[in-house]
Amino acid sequence: MATAKFLHAADLHLGSPLKSLGDAVDQEMVDFIKARVNTVFQRLVDVAVDEQVDFVVLAGDIYDMVDRDPGAQRRFLLGLRRLDEAGIKVFMAHGNHDPYIRDIPRGLLPGNVVVFPPKKLLGETVVMSNGVEVTVAGVSYGKKEETDNLVPLFANLSGRTIVGVLHTNVGGNGEHDNYAPSTVAELDASPVNYWALGHIHIRSVNPTRNGWWAYPGNLQGRSVKAAECGPKGVLIVEVDDDGSIREPRFVECAAVRFERLEVSVDDIDDIALVNDAVNDALAAVVSDGPGLPILVRLELVGQTDLTELRSPTPESLKELAATIREEVGAVLGDGAIVKVRSSCTPRVDLVAERSRDTLLGNVLRALDGIETDDAVRDQATKILVNALGAGR
Amino acid sequence: MKQLRITGVQGLTFGRHDGRTIDGFDAPFVVVHGLNESGKSTLAEFLVWTIGGPWRTFAQNTDAFRRSPDGVVFGRFLGVLDDDVIDLDSRFELKKAGTPKDLRKGVIGLHEVDPTKFADRLGSLTAADYKTIYRLYGADLGDLGSADAFSDLFSRFALGTATGGTSPRQSLDVLRRDLLAAKRDLSGLNTRRKEAERQIKEASAVPDRVAKLEEDERALAADIQESGTLEGERAVRKALFERVKAGHAHLESLQRERATLDALPVFPAAWEAAADNFASIAAIAGGLAGAARAADAADGAAVVAVATCGLERTSLAGQTLSGPERLALTNAVSSVVSAGDEVAASAADLDDAMKQLNEATAAVDDLCRALGIDNEQLSELDSVGGSLDTVDGRIQRWIEDSNKAIDARAELEAERARRANLGVTTPAQASRPALDPRLVAVGVVVVAALGIVHWAAAIVAGLVLAGVLFLGRKDTVAPAPATDNGRLAELEGKVRGADQSAAEHRALIKKSLGGLDFIVTDPDTAHGRIVGLKHLVAQRLRAAAASSLVNEARKRAEAAPTALLAAESAAASLLAPRGIPMTVVNGAFDSWLLDYEEAVKSVEASRIARDKVDGLRAQFDEMIVGIRSEFAGMTPEAIVTRLSDVRDQVGTRRKAVAKVHEEQLKVTGANMDAAEVHEVLAEYPTLAELAVQIDLLDDEIAHQRARRDDLISRRTDLVRELDDLRATEVLAGLALTRGQIDEDLVEAEAKVSALELAYDVLGDVIDTYERDNQDPVVATASGLIAGVAPEWGSIIMSRNEKGEPVIERHGPEGRLGEHVISDGGRALLYLGIRLAFAAKDAERRNVSLPIICDDPLVHFDDDRQLAAVQLLSRLSSDHQVVLFTCEERTRDYAASLGAKVIAI
């Protein structure tokens, strides 16, 4: 059974692939990371060429902003040219970050690039290397706040294998703006065999009645925010010669990887031993990684008698971070700890304390009775346990 | 629970109590009564210090103890702690600053204690605790500010925290400050985010900005070019106007210069030529005058010089006297003089030579005669003359041998005589005279020396010597040997030997003298004769020399006149052509020759000077040849003066001509004949109008230049901005900054939310907890007060918004805040609370400490005073109460309730 492949990527955010590099990375490191992430589209092109895909789908937010960065434009253009030279077609949709209203001059785009227009669906048939005809259809945002559901535009498509390209928020993901909102049911009901979606930065692959709907996630993690951490890259989609589409395969393209790492200090009774625990945890992360530079948000958690960890001042936390950073070079290589936080509390049995008629017990019970965000409650609890717990 | 009770104080050394001992404290309730200024407060303070430790600093009125003589407050404190007796030397050293030094020392039961151990026995009692809880001071109880002091007490006791621990209220305050700081951070982040947004918005516009800037840049470039073109056009126009203006001025100048020229006189060419040569003419004229003066001077000098040398000037004309000529003249005259001198000298020399010859000849004749030598024999002298010295030596030896023979003979004769006397025949011996050889030698040397000087002197000396020797000879007689016959024979042999030797020498002398041997006849005269012979030889030589001199002198005398004539002839041949008479030929010729030379030179100089005058005159005439007739009868100086005027006028005219020419050139250079010039002149015919137009054009040019400079500057800035924009990827960096701010904002917002929640919850819980857990104190206080004033009501304590304790009386009038309670009521309230705290504190320490009350009832009305005394009386079952008061009524009432009264 011969298969042909295409590459599905989205949310490249070229020009501004990073959102945050923490609060303690020096300029040299920033420059290094920026230089690396500037190669991320090059990596996508490398994957496309290596995988010998027949076409590439870019499902919106190729640029980070409506107005692009000149350098990013140039790198993007060079990548498109390489794909053109490799005979790989490119289908491009614009999302909320780079709506169609402005783009790089069309005349500059190589002939292999198809840009989906706004408001109306454009479809084009590609004959794959295995002879399968695949219809690639998509639509771009005509404005940043695209609030219309665009899925219905795909309802009348016909063909054996249809790839729908769309920048959309499926199911109203609260982490992202609810642009071009759609539902799983709508996707499932459509004739599209593979929904090449963009907008949500967390990768997800989901089956439909006719095939799959998938977010490849963004091409490059942008910060230590949870949704930006972990492997980032593209999906390689294989089309069998009968036109059916296999479950997409993830290929990491990111130039650096962001990770969140919590290190427990429950068993640590000396501040000097914190580094050991951190180094061990970092080593585990690195060993699981792909060899990319890893940028870590480190949070020390747990219960401790160490005041330095329970109630650090900004200055003492900065010193602690510096001490930790002194040793992590050997473990992280080109990576770095970009942020250090401590949310440790005194050694208090909160369950038992809640049942006591102490001030802290009253406080905990009072907190339990307040309706608020869990994260806020947890943080307030830590604050109060730190304030009262040590003096019980 | 243990109880500490005071039993007495002894040996006090402070204040009014110096030396006092006060017993009688050994009772649960003690009233110390005294008038004002009786030392009650001081004693009360002493008891407080003794039990709790000193707390006052100097500034807090420690000075009340100052009357202690050595700055030390001392008293022996006696008391009991349950069954243990307390005997404490309570000593406090007052200091200028700070708390008094605590020197307490003593025993509790069997244990020695110092301040620390004493405090430990009282449940780690501190001075602050004892003073705050057990010292009831009237003024404090009536002071509204006392409520503040209760704040800390309530927190400690009500919330169950230990003394010195962190108050939950303090934690709450820390949370409050943290919250404020977090809000400030959040606000700062929001501000930064707005700024980042602004920058991003600005940077987002970069492509448009670039396009706009590029368009502006092109427009500016076009404007710059246009401005340059306009400026160029204006500059060309201005140049034309300036040329026209200049040409216009040149035309006017030309006309002026021509008028000037026309007004000047015109001179013929000969005059102009003379004017052109004025400098040369003037120079020649000047030279001519000088040359004439020099010629006159030379003439005068020549006349004098000619006269000095005694010649005629005419004969000197044209003469020269070069070095060789001068030398020839000098030599010729010198030859004449020398030749004359030779004539005279040769005649004199001949005379001298003749005289010498005659003298020598006479000497020879004399000597010949003396020696007996004739002329023929003289010829022999020539052959032996050279051997006379040898002969002289042989004569000497001959003389000696002869003398020896004489001596031997004399000796022989003497011997013979002796023999004869003895009868022995003795042959007689003749003695011979002898010369002293030393004398002879000296004489010869003298003669020889004189011979060197003069041959005649030598001859004379020789004769004198011969005489002296002859006269000075002496006879020597040899003593006759007188021996035996052998001796006689010996002597005879000696005589024979001497004779033989003498004979041999005589023979040699003869051989040497040859034909002149006759000269020598005997030894005694031989020497003199030989000397004479030597003189003769010398005189003959002298005569021969003189003869030579005569011959030579004669020859010179014969030749000198001829040479003189020749010299005179030669000199004449030189002098005559110069007109010089021979009279000047003498020894003074050299001096004369100098005069002559001067005369020759002067005459020649005069001639040269005159020639120069003539030459200059000719030149002068030549220079003015064309106009010479104009100067008839004028001296060269006058001619020069005249020509000077002409020269000036010719020069002025020529300058005018040149100026005209120059102006003409300018007019031509201004191209005043060009059509554009005519156009300009037609429109702006005057210089003033032209100047105005030029100024206007200047303004326009300056304006265009300024405009272009401004445009260029703007374009430069714009291009720089463009370059910066093209070179910088600002958006990514700004987005990154914003992202980081966003991340910080999320954290900051969460922190603020959490802190707000924590703060609110903790505040609420503390309030509730305080309220719910204040019963032991407040209830006790309420109970205490109710016991003595049932109508007063109960005490409620809450907190205001600042967390400060709020004491309220809940009585018949409802809840009343402390600020609306009467002073007496408030004092009772505070007394009740304070006593409640004392009970609570005793419970915690497990020690009941004495309550020291220093007139706490001053603010109480009569009823309240009685109630308060009752309250204290009741409390004295648990704590010893020591009440200091000046009120007799209080004292008496307390006494009626069982209090022990101490009067001071």
Side-chain angles (χ1 to χ4, degrees):
Chain A
M1 182 178 290
T3 60
K5 293 181 276 190
F6 66 90
L7 184 150
H8 171 202
D11 299 286
L12 280 61
H13 294 278
L14 298 178
S16 181
L18 300 172
K19 284 202 78 169
S20 170
L21 279 177
D23 48 18
V25 178
D26 60 27
Q27 189 56 46
E28 187 180 358
M29 188 69 182
V30 170
D31 293 342
F32 167 74
I33 293 168
K34 284 169 74 175
R36 278 194 69 88
V37 299
N38 280 340
T39 67
V40 70
F41 187 66
Q42 179 67 40
R43 288 167 172 264
L44 179 150
V45 173
D46 289 343
V47 170
V49 172
D50 292 345
E51 294 280 352
Q52 296 181 330
V53 302
D54 289 312
F55 62 90
V56 168
V57 173
L58 304 177
D61 284 0
I62 295 159
Y63 297 114
D64 186 59
M65 299 186 186
V66 174
D67 297 294
R68 288 82 38 211
D69 187 288
Q73 284 191 39
R74 177 69 181 167
R75 288 188 288 274
F76 182 54
L77 184 60
L78 292 177
L80 294 178
R81 285 177 182 170
R82 274 192 64 206
L83 292 172
D84 189 25
E85 289 165 5
I88 299 171
K89 211 165 183 67
V90 178
F91 293 94
M92 225 172 84
H94 291 274
N96 55 301
H97 273 274
D98 59 344
Y100 189 86
I101 49 174
R102 297 190 65 167
D103 195 358
I104 54 176
R106 301 285 186 268
L108 291 178
L109 293 174
N112 63 324
V113 179
V114 174
V115 180
F116 296 120
K119 294 185 180 179
K120 64 177 181 180
L121 195 67
L122 174 66
E124 188 169 310
T125 300
V126 178
V127 180
M128 305 289 280
S129 55
N130 61 354
V132 174
E133 290 185 354
V134 174
T135 299
V136 184
V139 61
S140 287
Y141 282 23
K143 55 187 178 183
K144 175 178 169 67
E145 296 87 5
E146 180 56 75
T147 53
D148 291 343
N149 184 348
L150 302 176
V151 172
L153 294 176
F154 296 80
N156 296 323
L157 289 170
S158 61
R160 170 63 189 88
T161 305
I162 300 171
V163 175
V165 183
L166 183 61
H167 201 74
T168 179
N169 186 341
V170 179
N173 187 319
E175 289 289 315
H176 294 267
D177 295 322
N178 197 19
Y179 296 140
S182 60
T183 63
V184 173
E186 288 167 342
L187 299 178
D188 192 61
S190 76
V192 172
N193 299 99
Y194 183 84
W195 279 105
L197 305 180
H199 192 50
I200 305 302
H201 287 192
I202 296 176
R203 182 177 63 259
S204 66
V205 176
N206 308 279
T208 63
R209 183 172 52 83
N210 292 321
W212 308 89
W213 64 272
Y215 284 112
N218 48 342
L219 191 59
Q220 167 65 58
R222 307 179 71 196
S223 71
V224 291
K225 186 178 172 185
E228 303 292 335
C229 291
K232 295 288 183 180
V234 300
L235 293 173
I236 298 296
V237 187
E238 294 184 10
V239 181
D240 288 334
D241 53 8
D242 62 356
S244 63
I245 295 177
R246 297 185 181 184
E247 182 175 356
R249 167 166 54 89
F250 173 73
V251 176
E252 185 165 16
C253 289
V256 297
R257 184 188 282 185
F258 288 90
E259 292 288 359
R260 294 170 74 91
L261 180 63
E262 290 188 351
V263 176
S264 172
V265 297
D266 282 343
D267 299 329
I268 294 174
D269 54 8
D270 193 312
I271 190 71
L273 300 176
V274 171
N275 275 19
D276 291 338
V278 171
N279 289 338
D280 290 345
L282 285 173
V285 172
V286 172
S287 67
D288 293 341
L292 293 174
I294 299 177
L295 307 177
V296 180
R297 177 192 189 277
L298 173 67
E299 182 168 7
L300 301 174
V301 299
Q303 294 190 337
T304 178
D305 293 327
L306 299 174
T307 309
E308 304 96 313
L309 299 180
R310 285 203 319 259
S311 307
T313 63
E315 291 74 24
S316 67
L317 188 61
K318 200 171 178 181
E319 285 181 16
L320 177 64
T323 305
I324 292 171
R325 286 193 179 96
E326 280 178 10
E327 293 184 19
V328 299
V331 181
L332 285 179
D334 289 335
I337 293 181
V338 299
K339 193 171 284 191
V340 175
R341 295 290 183 264
S342 178
S343 55
C344 302
T345 60
R347 295 189 191 281
V348 174
D349 184 346
L350 296 180
V351 175
E353 196 66 32
R354 279 188 171 84
S355 65
R356 293 177 184 146
D357 189 21
T358 60
L359 184 65
L360 180 58
N362 281 273
V363 165
L364 293 173
R365 286 195 296 276
L367 276 173
D368 291 342
I370 293 174
E371 283 190 11
T372 185
D373 183 85
D374 287 344
V376 172
R377 192 199 331 274
D378 287 348
Q379 194 169 352
T381 300
K382 287 175 182 174
I383 290 169
L384 288 169
V385 170
N386 272 320
L388 302 175
R392 291 173 63 251
Chain B
M1 183 183 298
K2 294 181 181 179
Q3 185 176 38
L4 188 153
R5 289 171 61 184
I6 305 166
T7 57
V9 290
Q10 298 178 352
L12 303 176
T13 64
F14 54 85
R16 296 181 180 278
H17 309 294
D18 193 20
R20 179 181 288 174
T21 292
I22 303 173
D23 294 321
F25 280 95
D26 190 13
F29 188 16
V30 179
V31 176
V32 180
H33 177 258
L35 299 176
N36 287 331
E37 301 301 320
S38 62
K40 298 190 300 297
S41 292
T42 312
L43 181 58
E45 195 73 336
F46 174 74
L47 293 175
V48 172
W49 286 17
T50 297
I51 296 170
W55 63 273
R56 285 182 188 270
T57 64
F58 181 82
Q60 290 169 318
N61 208 24
T62 311
D63 205 32
F65 292 103
R66 276 298 172 196
R67 277 173 287 181
S68 58
D70 53 359
V72 172
V73 174
F74 175 78
R76 185 182 176 193
F77 175 89
L78 299 173
V80 293
L81 181 62
D82 276 0
D83 297 333
D84 291 332
V85 173
I86 300 173
D87 188 347
L88 199 65
D89 283 344
S90 190
R91 186 187 304 274
F92 306 99
E93 186 178 317
L94 303 180
K95 296 192 293 185
K96 289 286 186 183
T99 308
K101 190 172 183 181
D102 187 356
L103 300 172
R104 288 178 292 167
K105 187 177 181 183
V107 296
I108 298 179
L110 299 177
H111 303 286
E112 292 186 351
V113 292
D114 58 8
T116 303
K117 289 177 180 173
F118 189 70
D120 288 345
R121 293 294 296 272
L122 303 181
S124 301
L125 181 65
T126 66
D129 283 348
Y130 193 68
K131 168 248 180 181
T132 304
I133 299 172
Y134 295 93
R135 176 181 176 277
L136 307 185
Y137 187 55
D140 283 349
L141 287 176
D143 188 351
L144 289 174
S146 294
D148 291 337
F150 292 147
S151 176
D152 189 45
L153 284 172
F154 273 113
S155 287
R156 292 184 199 175
F157 287 96
L159 300 178
T161 54
T163 299
T166 304
S167 162
R169 292 275 175 196
Q170 289 176 335
S171 296
L172 185 64
D173 193 51
V174 170
L175 284 183
R176 182 181 61 80
R177 290 199 298 270
D178 288 349
L179 178 57
L180 288 175
K183 285 182 175 178
R184 279 197 300 273
D185 291 345
L186 183 60
S187 174
L189 285 168
N190 276 316
T191 303
R192 285 178 56 201
R193 192 181 194 289
K194 284 179 184 172
E195 174 59 18
E197 278 293 340
R198 188 192 64 76
Q199 291 179 358
I200 286 172
K201 188 176 178 184
E202 208 172 89
S204 299
V206 165
D208 286 344
R209 178 73 179 155
V210 169
K212 176 70 167 54
L213 290 177
E214 285 173 344
E215 188 179 332
D216 290 349
E217 194 270 335
R218 286 192 293 273
L220 283 172
D223 288 348
I224 290 167
Q225 187 174 11
E226 180 203 45
S227 177
T229 303
L230 284 174
E231 184 190 336
E233 288 173 0
R234 298 297 183 273
V236 170
R237 182 78 173 158
K238 180 191 169 191
L240 171 63
F241 272 68
E242 285 181 331
R243 184 157 62 85
V244 172
K245 183 186 171 192
H248 198 289
H250 295 326
L251 273 175
E252 290 183 343
S253 294
L254 179 60
Q255 289 165 2
R256 282 197 304 273
E257 296 303 331
R258 278 180 174 160
T260 302
L261 180 61
D262 292 345
L264 295 174
V266 180
F267 289 91
W271 278 98
E272 288 197 1
D276 290 342
N277 294 324
F278 174 77
S280 300
I281 292 170
I284 292 169
L288 186 56
R293 286 192 298 274
D296 291 345
D299 277 347
V303 168
V304 173
V306 169
T308 300
C309 68
L311 298 178
E312 292 296 329
R313 178 170 181 172
T314 53
S315 65
L316 292 175
Q319 286 193 22
T320 60
L321 186 62
S322 65
E325 288 172 338
R326 194 178 193 287
L327 183 60
L329 282 175
T330 303
N331 289 340
V333 171
S334 178
S335 297
V336 171
V337 172
S338 296
D341 291 345
E342 176 63 13
V343 168
S346 60
D349 289 347
L350 181 57
D351 291 345
D352 288 343
M354 286 301 292
K355 188 178 177 183
Q356 288 179 35
L357 180 60
N358 291 338
E359 287 175 356
T361 303
V364 169
D365 290 347
D366 292 344
L367 285 169
C368 283
R369 276 191 301 276
L371 295 172
I373 299 173
D374 59 20
N375 286 336
E376 289 180 1
Q377 291 171 326
L378 274 178
S379 61
E380 285 285 331
L381 189 60
D382 294 336
S383 59
V384 301
S387 60
L388 287 178
D389 288 338
T390 304
V391 172
D392 211 19
R394 284 171 182 164
I395 289 171
Q396 182 63 33
R397 282 189 291 275
W398 178 42
I399 293 170
E400 289 172 358
D401 290 343
S402 297
N403 288 340
K404 287 178 184 176
I406 294 168
D407 291 341
R409 213 167 263 116
E411 194 175 356
L412 180 59
E413 287 302 325
E415 181 64 27
R416 281 173 181 161
R418 188 185 64 92
R419 278 177 171 258
N421 290 335
L422 296 174
V424 178
T425 306
T426 306
Q429 290 294 324
S431 64
R432 292 187 182 178
L435 287 174
D436 186 348
R438 289 171 294 183
L439 185 62
V440 174
V442 171
V444 171
V445 170
V446 170
V447 171
L450 291 172
I452 294 171
V453 176
H454 200 278
W455 57 272
I459 291 171
V460 172
L463 292 173
V464 172
L465 177 62
V468 169
L469 292 175
F470 179 76
L471 294 175
R473 68 179 180 175
K474 59 183 182 180
D475 290 337
T476 56
V477 178
T483 62
D484 56 10
N485 291 336
R487 172 66 179 167
L488 188 63
E490 179 187 353
L491 292 173
E492 288 173 349
K494 193 173 179 180
V495 171
R496 281 192 303 275
D499 286 345
Q500 187 178 351
S501 181
E504 286 174 0
H505 285 303
R506 183 66 186 92
L508 287 172
I509 290 169
K510 186 177 181 181
K511 186 179 178 184
S512 295
L513 290 176
L516 295 175
D517 181 57
F518 67 91
I519 295 298
V520 177
T521 57
D522 62 75
D524 292 338
T525 62
H527 232 7
R529 306 275 294 173
I530 289 302
V531 171
L533 198 59
K534 284 183 180 177
H535 282 311
L536 180 58
V537 170
Q539 287 303 322
R540 276 178 58 82
L541 289 173
R542 183 187 169 203
S547 178
S548 273
L549 286 174
V550 167
N551 290 336
E552 188 178 343
R554 185 172 290 123
K555 286 179 184 174
R556 282 176 56 204
E558 289 172 357
T562 306
L564 177 59
L565 288 174
E568 286 175 343
S569 175
S573 69
L574 291 175
L575 295 174
R578 292 177 178 270
I580 302 172
M582 286 301 287
T583 55
V584 301
V585 178
N586 53 41
F589 180 77
D590 286 346
S591 175
W592 181 86
L593 185 60
L594 290 174
D595 293 339
Y596 170 74
E597 186 175 18
E598 181 61 29
V600 168
K601 286 181 179 175
S602 298
V603 170
E604 179 62 11
S606 174
R607 183 192 64 76
I608 291 171
R610 197 55 63 192
D611 287 350
K612 185 178 180 183
V613 169
D614 295 343
L616 288 171
R617 184 72 206 187
Q619 283 184 40
F620 187 81
D621 290 345
E622 181 66 25
M623 296 296 280
I624 58 172
V625 64
I627 54 176
R628 190 171 183 179
S629 58
E630 301 285 339
F631 305 121
M634 293 174 67
T635 64
E637 289 77 8
I639 294 171
V640 167
T641 302
R642 174 77 179 99
L643 280 177
S644 175
D645 293 339
V646 173
R647 178 203 59 183
D648 293 345
Q649 292 181 58
V650 168
T652 302
R653 181 173 180 79
R654 284 179 177 169
K655 284 180 182 174
V657 169
K659 194 69 181 172
V660 167
H661 182 64
E662 181 184 338
E663 293 304 320
Q664 183 61 57
L665 285 176
K666 288 178 181 175
V667 169
T668 304
N671 199 13
M672 295 301 286
D673 292 333
E676 56 189 4
V677 173
H678 289 301
E679 287 175 11
V680 171
L681 284 173
E683 193 171 357
Y684 309 106
T686 68
L687 279 175
E689 288 171 309
L690 288 170
V692 167
Q693 290 305 311
I694 288 171
D695 287 344
L696 290 173
L697 287 168
D698 263 341
D699 290 344
E700 279 194 50
I701 289 169
H703 168 71
Q704 289 301 333
R705 191 166 294 156
R707 177 179 170 233
R708 195 167 73 254
D709 288 346
D710 176 59
L711 290 169
I712 289 171
S713 174
R714 284 164 54 196
R715 183 168 175 250
T716 302
D717 293 343
L718 194 147
V719 168
R720 188 180 299 120
E721 187 182 355
L722 261 176
D723 289 344
D724 289 345
L725 287 172
R726 285 167 177 155
T728 308
E729 295 182 11
V730 292
L731 207 52
L734 290 171
L736 190 58
T737 300
R738 184 182 63 182
Q740 287 168 355
I741 295 172
D742 284 345
E743 211 166 74
D744 292 342
L745 267 173
V746 169
E747 286 187 2
E749 286 168 349
K751 186 176 180 182
V752 167
S753 298
L755 280 169
E756 282 177 337
L757 178 59
Y759 180 76
D760 291 344
V761 168
L762 182 59
D764 291 345
V765 172
I766 285 176
D767 288 345
T768 306
Y769 199 78
E770 278 179 349
R771 185 174 61 249
D772 295 345
N773 290 275
Q774 68 179 315
D775 288 343
V777 173
V778 175
T780 300
S782 290
L784 289 173
I785 294 171
V788 296
E791 77 289 359
W792 197 82
S794 60
I795 302 171
I796 296 295
M797 194 197 74
S798 60
R799 296 276 176 177
N800 63 16
E801 66 279 1
K802 295 180 181 177
E804 297 165 344
V806 176
I807 307 294
E808 293 173 307
R809 173 191 172 190
H810 193 191
E813 298 87 3
R815 294 178 69 155
L816 300 176
E818 58 181 339
H819 58 287
V820 296
I821 303 174
S822 66
D823 287 351
R826 191 164 56 249
L828 182 62
L829 169 65
Y830 292 157
L831 179 63
I833 292 173
R834 194 68 80 80
L835 295 176
F837 275 128
K840 188 80 175 176
D841 185 69
E843 187 181 321
R844 177 181 295 167
R845 294 182 196 283
N846 200 28
V847 177
S848 169
L849 299 172
I851 296 172
I852 311 297
C853 306
D854 184 7
D855 261 346
L857 313 177
V858 290
H859 295 290
F860 287 42
D861 55 26
D862 290 348
D863 294 340
R864 297 284 182 270
Q865 279 197 20
L866 295 179
V869 173
Q870 280 186 39
L871 183 55
L872 293 173
S873 177
R874 285 191 181 192
L875 195 66
S876 66
S877 60
D878 298 324
H879 297 266
Q880 183 185 29
V881 175
V882 181
L883 172 62
F884 290 84
T885 181
C886 60
E887 300 282 342
E888 292 181 356
R889 188 165 175 267
T890 301
R891 178 198 63 192
D892 295 341
Y893 186 62
S896 71
L897 294 176
K900 189 172 183 178
V901 176
I902 299 173
I904 59 173

